[in-house]
Amino acid sequence: MDGGFFDLLRQRFASGMERPMLRVAGGPTVTYGEMDARSALAAGWLGSQGVSAGDRVVVQIPKSSDAVALYLGMLRLGAVYVPLNTAYTEAEVDWFVSDAEPAAVVRDAAALTAGLERAKPLTGWAARRDDDLAALVYTSGTTGRPKGAMLTHGNLASNALTLNEAWAFQPDDVLLHALPIFHVHGLMVALHTAMLSACEVIFLERFEAAQVLADLPEATVMMGVPTHYHRLLATGRFDAAACRGIRLLVSGSAPMTAALHRSVADSTGCEVLERYGMSEALMITSNPYDEPRVAGTVGFALPGIEVRVWGEDGCAPAGQAGMVQVRGPNVGPGYWRRPDATAESRTEDGWFITGDVGRLDERGRLTLEGRAGDMIISGGLNIYPAEIEQALDAHPAVVESAVVGLEHPDLGEAAAAFVVAEHDIGGDPDEQMSDLAGTLADLARFKHPKRIVLVDGLPRNAMGKVLKAELRTRYADLFRD
Ligand code: MLC
């Protein structure tokens, strides 16, 4: 690919400029031509703010058509998109800004819209090479310090083209989009794939089951996290009639249990297609589009991508579990300004170590079995225990804490904290809890443990290491219905 990811997108939707692109509730539908023009304004506006090709721009704004225009404007200008979850606190944003050293920070959606009204458009677009950076997507690390996963124009283009073909996108597809666009799933899986066929996108600001059900009959494709499917089923109205136009339901970002997969199939007649990926490597495997999908598995390596399972003695034979490793044009070049973390995430022969444990069957179908670390995936969002433990441990009355992920009916997994207190923090247990919750104020709310349990001590092995597996077993029912 020459010219960069915007060049590819532009080529693909150039013949359909009059086609509807984003259907936004309560607003006019934006056509591809209008979005193209708006992205030119966004590029011009960024340029007037002193942003040039290669510069990072941190963005923390709600989902909107102007947020999409800004992203496309950034690709157009050759700037590097650094999206942040709108739930992040000031303290978290400060940290990201200090790490990314952006040329501009966009956190005021109204100022963006006003800027676009005044801007002089950049009608052309910067030529970008495959290995030029397009985005930095922050993921937290095992030590609690976030790392920016670098993604290049080549990574974005290869993954979008691969998914567009593997999932048989056609111009007459209508994508129901209820995911946030500050993550790989909503932006680089859902939106990119649809844009490559100039499809119409029903663009919902957030996931709300009743609204999704209302729009579903007009859609042909929906992508979501397992929690979305769970919530749709809970309405009792997620059925074959609601899915009458649907040809593809995709799930990812968190494991979908075989039971949930079957419930969706029983209720709607649609077999969810589960796929597997991560910010560092975009999409890695997918269940097949036109062969049976197997509940509880994440399918085969996507075309052009290699997956292997590494056991104690090297490459594990079929059926044996080990660390999932991946190689291909989807894998990003590493972590922003973190050569140590980049090196740790690669094997000597250049494979990316995903951190997930899984096994391949004889045909190369991958089943995930867990993760090497103790990262929690809650409602499709990653939560790193170390970050929460560090915050809890900073409380003067906390001796130590351990945070684990426990099965949760709605979120799949939810964070629970086990805290050993020095002495009574206060008199009333409710006050103790709110006092402890206060120590988490600098962390985004979705990271806050759904339960904080005061315990006398933490289980440890002979070496003194906290036995998190034991906590998970002992408290397995904490969130169960
Ligand atoms: C919200 N809350 C969560 C949460 N989402 N808590 C834990 N886990 C979550 N995922 C908390 C809020 O902090 C708030 O807490 C309360 O729940 C209500 O907030 P809300 O905004 O009203 O929540 P809701 O709209 O119900 O959101 C739930 C959700 C959303 C599941 C719809 O989290 C979601 O859309 N998740 C998808 C995330 C996603 O796109 N992941 C892709 C990552 S990319 P309080 O205490 O203030 O009440 C990736 C790669 C790949 O992983 O392969 O795809």
Side-chain angles (χ1 to χ4, degrees):
M1 184 197 72
D2 284 326
F5 184 56
F6 186 80
D7 190 59
L8 170 71
L9 282 176
R10 189 60 167 55
Q11 283 173 32
R12 296 286 292 247
F13 64 66
S15 59
M17 288 298 205
E18 73 299 336
R19 293 170 55 79
M21 176 183 176
L22 298 184
R23 197 197 302 176
V24 187
T29 293
V30 181
T31 64
Y32 274 89
E34 286 162 348
M35 181 56 80
D36 183 58
R38 199 91 177 139
S39 73
L41 288 171
W45 178 68
L46 288 164
S48 73
Q49 308 286 306
V51 178
S52 328
D55 286 343
R56 276 88 49 214
V57 178
V58 166
V59 177
Q60 191 196 36
I61 50 172
K63 184 176 173 182
S64 69
S65 72
D66 274 353
V68 176
L70 178 65
Y71 169 61
L72 293 176
M74 231 171 268
L75 289 176
R76 197 166 187 134
L77 189 66
V80 180
Y81 185 58
V82 189
L84 296 184
N85 190 326
T86 48
Y88 287 147
T89 64
E90 291 298 319
E92 288 169 317
V93 174
D94 284 351
W95 192 90
F96 291 119
V97 169
S98 72
D99 191 63
E101 293 192 307
V105 178
V106 182
R107 297 182 68 197
D108 181 343
L112 166 65
T113 300
L116 296 190
E117 304 305 329
R118 290 193 305 267
K120 241 181 94 211
L122 176 84
T123 43
W125 50 93
R128 297 272 88 190
R129 292 198 327 243
D130 272 3
D131 58 358
D132 280 329
L133 268 196
L136 275 189
V137 182
Y138 276 94
T139 66
S140 284
T142 40
T143 58
R145 199 175 134 212
K147 298 173 289 193
M150 298 190 281
L151 292 169
T152 63
H153 282 258
N155 298 145
L156 302 191
S158 75
N159 225 233
L161 288 165
T162 300
L163 296 178
N164 181 272
E165 198 173 321
W167 296 343
F169 268 72
Q170 299 297 328
D172 59 357
D173 272 317
V174 177
L175 173 74
L176 202 162
H177 193 296
L179 287 157
I181 56 166
F182 41 69
H183 287 303
V184 157
H185 193 164
L187 185 65
M188 291 156 188
V189 184
L191 211 51
H192 283 182
T193 307
M195 283 194 288
L196 277 191
S197 292
C199 297
E200 181 170 359
V201 180
I202 301 174
F203 204 58
L204 303 179
E205 194 181 340
R206 56 194 296 274
F207 181 89
E208 211 264 299
Q211 188 59 49
V212 169
L213 276 177
D215 288 323
L216 203 53
E218 292 184 53
T220 64
V221 181
M222 185 178 83
M223 300 188 196
V225 299
T227 300
H228 293 176
Y229 292 102
H230 174 82
R231 290 187 182 181
L232 286 170
L233 280 175
T235 65
R237 290 182 288 125
F238 186 42
D239 53 19
C243 292
R244 59 186 175 272
I246 290 288
R247 68 165 183 88
L248 179 64
L249 296 175
V250 179
S251 178
S253 307
M256 175 172 259
T257 61
L260 180 56
H261 191 276
R262 277 192 289 272
S263 300
V264 175
D266 289 347
S267 184
T268 66
C270 303
E271 292 272 354
V272 171
L273 179 151
E274 190 172 1
R275 55 64 181 176
Y276 160 62
M278 56 187 53
S279 302
E280 292 89 335
L282 300 171
M283 296 306 102
I284 300 168
T285 70
S286 168
N287 265 279
Y289 180 67
D290 33 50
E291 268 187 70
R293 296 157 198 168
V294 178
T297 81
V298 292
F300 301 95
L302 281 158
I305 296 171
E306 295 169 275
V307 169
R308 73 182 183 190
V309 165
W310 201 254
E312 272 165 24
D313 311 312
C315 215
Q320 224 170 73
M323 182 64 78
V324 179
Q325 300 180 350
V326 56
R327 188 163 74 170
N330 55 314
V331 179
Y335 298 106
W336 173 249
R337 293 182 178 164
R338 291 289 303 276
D340 53 332
T342 301
E344 256 173 52
S345 68
R346 310 275 145 155
T347 65
E348 272 172 19
D349 54 348
W351 292 66
F352 173 69
I353 305 168
T354 62
D356 290 309
V357 176
R359 88 194 119 75
L360 290 166
D361 73 7
E362 302 286 344
R363 289 188 57 211
R365 193 187 282 272
L366 181 67
T367 302
L368 295 175
E369 305 207 324
R371 286 177 296 276
D374 56 2
M375 182 183 86
I376 300 164
I377 305 183
S378 174
L381 294 174
N382 296 355
I383 298 176
Y384 290 81
E387 198 179 17
I388 306 164
E389 289 160 0
Q390 279 160 21
L392 288 169
D393 292 350
H395 191 285
V398 170
V399 178
E400 57 178 356
S401 64
V403 171
V404 298
L406 299 176
E407 194 183 312
H408 188 281
D410 178 43
L411 297 168
E413 237 181 0
F418 298 90
V419 170
V420 182
E422 188 85 61
H423 49 75
D424 258 11
I425 306 167
D428 173 2
D430 282 346
E431 265 175 38
Q432 293 180 357
M433 291 302 157
S434 68
D435 191 22
L436 268 183
T439 191
L440 300 169
D442 280 346
L443 296 178
R445 300 272 319 171
F446 72 86
K447 298 178 185 171
H448 292 208
K450 299 292 180 221
R451 286 282 288 279
I452 298 178
V453 181
L454 288 179
V455 290
D456 291 335
L458 297 173
R460 290 182 185 279
N461 67 11
M463 311 294 290
K465 188 173 179 307
V466 175
L467 294 169
K468 290 198 167 178
E470 196 171 316
L471 283 172
R472 280 193 286 269
T473 311
R474 206 184 294 169
Y475 290 93
D477 288 337
L478 197 67
F479 297 119
R480 283 203 184 130
D481 291 326

